[in-house]
Amino acid sequence: MNADVKSTSDETIKRMARVGSCWSPTFSPDGLKLAFVSDMTGSPQIWQLPAAGGYPRAVTAFEEQISEVSWSPAGDWLAIQAAPGGGMNSQIDLVRLNGAGRRRITPGGATNNWLNCWMPDGAALIFSSNMDDANSMNSYLYCMKTGETRRIAVNSGVGVVEHVARDGGQFLLSRVVYRGDNNIFLASLENDDERLLTEHEPPASFGNARFSHDGGSVFMLTNRDHDLACFVRVRLEQGAAWETLQSRADAELEQFAVAAEDRLSALVWNCAGRHELELFDLAVNRLVAKIGLPGEIVDEIRFSTDGDKLALVVSGARLPQDIWLLDTADRRLRRLTHSPHVGVDLDALAGAELRRYTAHDGLHLTGWLYRPTAGSAPYPTVLSFHGGPEGQEQPRFRYEYQALVSQGIAVFAPNVRGSSGFGKRFVNLDNGALRVDAIQDIASTARYLIESGLTTPGRVGIMGGSYGGYMTMAGLAEFPDLFAAGVNIYGLVNFKTFFEQTEPWMAAISKIEYGDPETEGDLLDALSPIHNLDRVAAPVLVLHGANDTNVPVYEAEQVVAKLRARGLPVEYILFPDEGHGFRKEENRIATAIAVVNWFAEYLL
């Protein structure tokens, strides 16, 4: 590639990586304003604007990246979750509505802290933290008046307070048993009383637990008695009697929200990766409307206090992540934020095409195809594997996908076994020793692309982040003849060192998913790509954040050292100011340019 062409190419890639996003909408108590997080200035910070629309005003300009914001029901404070260095050691801060008066309420340092919810009157804030025990995300209450913090629940693993009753006396606590299995407890803020609400035969998931207005029932989503998650009500006064309010045979419930006085619920359904939004009347238990969406994905939904407005975070393959407002009376949807996409014609971007195919053992799989707008098949093609492993590939805006497509390289993003969104059975098909079948899905996917004429041998690459990085290295090691190049983005490669060095609470909940290092060491070795790197034949690009405590940087260092010792082409990029994921604009740009140029060199 000559210098002029490469300069033009890099400029196109930069524009894709600069496309902004907005998320975490939270209403003021009167519903007239929203605060939210946006990376429009290069690093995620808090912004505010009128719900009626207008120009956004910056609230914070911190060194730390902000991931979440929540407006106090009292109206005077914003609670924010900030990530120093982009790592998982998030801290909880309070700031005034103008960004002044910053007050950190968590210990700082290496502790992990997650924002949960406010007390209904705004007198206290509840959060999860491992400040007392590295192995457990326990539950804490911070008093706004006194500044005192007290522990309200010991969780022996991962726990999150999902909601507090309107009278402030009880709360709903979600505790993870292991990945893919959790429970909801009804607990008291006045004493240590707890009541298990979700007796079940594992595995089963329970989420979004919310008290009814009168406190006599709990709404939640669950797959307890179904393969696909559905919307249920648990009547507390009837000995926790369960009632399925809404279920679908073609989709599972992703999330829901309940409006004031239980008059309406908004339901987001996951249909093979695309989302559908429905309004459900809780008074008569019936569906009242299906809302057409401007994009394929709804990430977050929040009702205003009076229930008149619903804030949605909407995105799509051609649509950056923005906040939209739905008027619940006339059901009109309008865009509230406008994430910048300077120099990028959204209409000219690649859409996502759902493809269906079959694995080696007959299991039905799906994936999303992003085709170059110029030329025709066969294309040089990159397989991109999601993280999790319980994540899901969805048709959302991905700057690295669009950057690759802009250079004539197709992207195929599969949902192999173990992915979420397809039911309880499917998501558990890669647990423990079953992971060998998920690895075989890598080869099935590549062969499908070749046999269908979408690509040709010698022009297939593979990449992924986090667990997707694991799949990348497993694919390169197990099927060296299928892939011409790979990109490992903060991926784990050695289960034993992962368990030794990741956050202790993460290790504790991952033993069913991956295998127990105390009793299944041989299995973990057999499933770890680090022991098969002598089979890798393709050049590998490795990217990692120095502050990553989920998949510690030693995972990347092992790969780089072993492959370089064999003389394979290896490039290693370490970002000193990022953790598990790259949020800062300059790092997104560096990532996109490196990834596209790597695949352009070896696939084009």
Side-chain angles (χ1 to χ4, degrees), residues 461-463 472-473 476 483-488 538-542 598-599:
I462 183 171
M463 74 173 186
T472 295
M473 297 312 302
L476 291 172
F483 300 106
V487 176
N488 169 16
V540 181
L541 168 65
V542 179
W598 189 259
F599 285 125

Side-chain angles (χ1 to χ4, degrees), residues 551-565:
V551 178
V553 71
Y554 183 57
E555 297 297 300
E557 293 170 347
Q558 294 177 78
V559 172
V560 173
K562 288 213 168 195
L563 293 184
R564 281 180 175 168

Side-chain angles (χ1 to χ4, degrees), residues 47-239:
W47 296 73
Q48 189 184 129
L49 83 173
Y55 193 81
R57 176 179 63 83
V59 176
T60 64
F62 299 158
E63 288 295 322
E64 299 99 324
Q65 302 175 34
I66 309 300
S67 59
E68 188 176 351
V69 60
S70 181
W71 205 312
S72 166
D76 51 351
W77 290 93
L78 297 173
I80 64 174
Q81 184 171 307
M88 288 193 70
N89 58 328
S90 297
Q91 305 299 320
I92 309 298
D93 291 343
L94 297 168
V95 296
R96 293 291 187 182
L97 305 185
N98 61 0
R102 184 180 185 182
R103 181 196 307 176
R104 176 150 292 175
I105 68 171
T106 49
T111 61
N112 293 186
N113 307 273
W114 303 336
L115 185 60
N116 288 185
C117 59
W118 288 94
M119 290 290 287
D121 59 0
L125 181 69
I126 297 175
F127 63 95
S128 301
S129 177
N130 66 349
M131 66 172 78
D132 292 332
D133 181 357
N135 296 285
S136 299
M137 295 299 293
N138 294 321
S139 302
Y140 297 84
L141 183 145
Y142 174 85
C143 178
M144 297 294 293
K145 183 177 181 179
T146 66
E148 296 178 350
T149 297
R150 69 181 177 95
R151 191 171 63 194
I152 58 174
V154 175
N155 298 319
S156 300
V158 173
V160 173
V161 175
E162 299 206 338
H163 198 220
V164 180
R166 197 160 55 95
D167 64 7
Q170 294 179 306
F171 61 95
L172 295 170
L173 173 63
S174 172
R175 286 195 179 113
V176 176
V177 181
Y178 56 83
R179 296 167 75 148
D181 191 79
N182 74 304
N183 277 302
I184 303 295
F185 293 83
L186 176 65
S188 172
L189 279 165
E190 299 172 357
N191 51 51
D192 295 331
D193 289 349
E194 291 185 356
R195 174 184 170 191
L196 175 64
L197 297 180
T198 53
E199 289 188 10
H200 66 281
E201 193 72 29
S205 297
F206 308 86
N208 275 47
R210 295 291 182 270
F211 285 103
S212 61
H213 181 73
D214 63 8
S217 298
V218 173
F219 301 105
M220 67 178 77
L221 65 83
T222 183
N223 56 15
R224 187 185 78 157
D225 301 318
H226 303 77
D227 184 46
L228 299 175
C230 60
F231 185 41
V232 303
R233 172 164 43 207
V234 182
R235 296 189 183 276
L236 302 177
E237 70 277 10
Q238 298 177 13

Side-chain angles (χ1 to χ4, degrees), residues 375-414:
S376 58
Y379 312 101
T381 302
V382 173
L383 273 64
S384 178
F385 287 87
H386 63 69
E390 312 91 338
Q392 184 185 24
E393 278 290 349
Q394 299 175 318
R396 60 180 68 243
F397 180 81
R398 293 284 298 268
Y399 67 87
E400 65 272 48
Y401 291 5
Q402 297 294 346
L404 284 164
V405 167
S406 74
Q407 304 306 303
I409 300 172
V411 176
F412 188 73

Side-chain angles (χ1 to χ4, degrees), residues 497-508:
T497 55
F498 165 78
F499 274 105
E500 290 167 359
Q501 298 192 16
T502 191
E503 296 288 348
W505 55 263
M506 174 67 75

